[in-house]
Amino acid sequence: AQLIVASIYGPTRPDPTDPPEVWRERSLDALASIIPGLRDAIVFVEFASVPTVGQWMGKSSNAAICNAQVPSQVGNERLPVTTPMRGLFICGDGAGGHGIGTEMAARSAMETAAAIEAARVTP
């Protein structure tokens, strides 16, 4: 099993030309075009429009992109890439790594790959 998370650029206005359902289907089509068998394997899909995510984040512009950390999210306080659930790993801006932007994402990915490899050889 694999958890796939995708952030997809979309309109921030409340009345886009295409409704969220169209964005959802086009997003799934894009993912399915690069992940063989995706549509047949999907267990669930959660989709939120950009304004919905932005509003949830408390952004006055309803834009969903946010790039900030507070002291409780850095250094030793960052989540590890491993989780208590066997086979579930976290990668990206939310876990592992250090630095900012691309450096943090790359380090998180390297840590996650190492943790997955270690889990494969450990019974």
Side-chain angles (χ1 to χ4, degrees), residues 60-115:
S60 60
S61 66
N62 286 343
I65 297 174
C66 185
N67 197 12
Q69 293 180 347
V70 296
S72 65
Q73 294 174 299
V74 298
N76 291 334
E77 299 300 317
R78 286 187 58 73
L79 291 173
V81 297
T82 56
T83 71
M85 290 182 65
R86 183 182 171 114
L88 178 62
F89 300 89
I90 304 170
C91 181
D93 65 347
H98 65 273
I100 61 170
T102 304
E103 177 190 10
M104 182 167 47
R107 289 187 181 275
S108 175
M110 291 186 287
E111 287 177 34
T112 304

Side-chain angles (χ1 to χ4, degrees), residues 9-20 23 49-52 54 60-64:
Y9 290 103
T12 58
R13 60 187 226 198
D15 61 339
T17 302
D18 292 318
W23 280 86
S49 67
V50 175
T52 300
S60 60
S61 66
N62 286 343

Side-chain angles (χ1 to χ4, degrees), residues 111-123:
E111 287 177 34
T112 304
I116 291 170
E117 183 61 27
R120 290 178 57 190
V121 296
T122 304

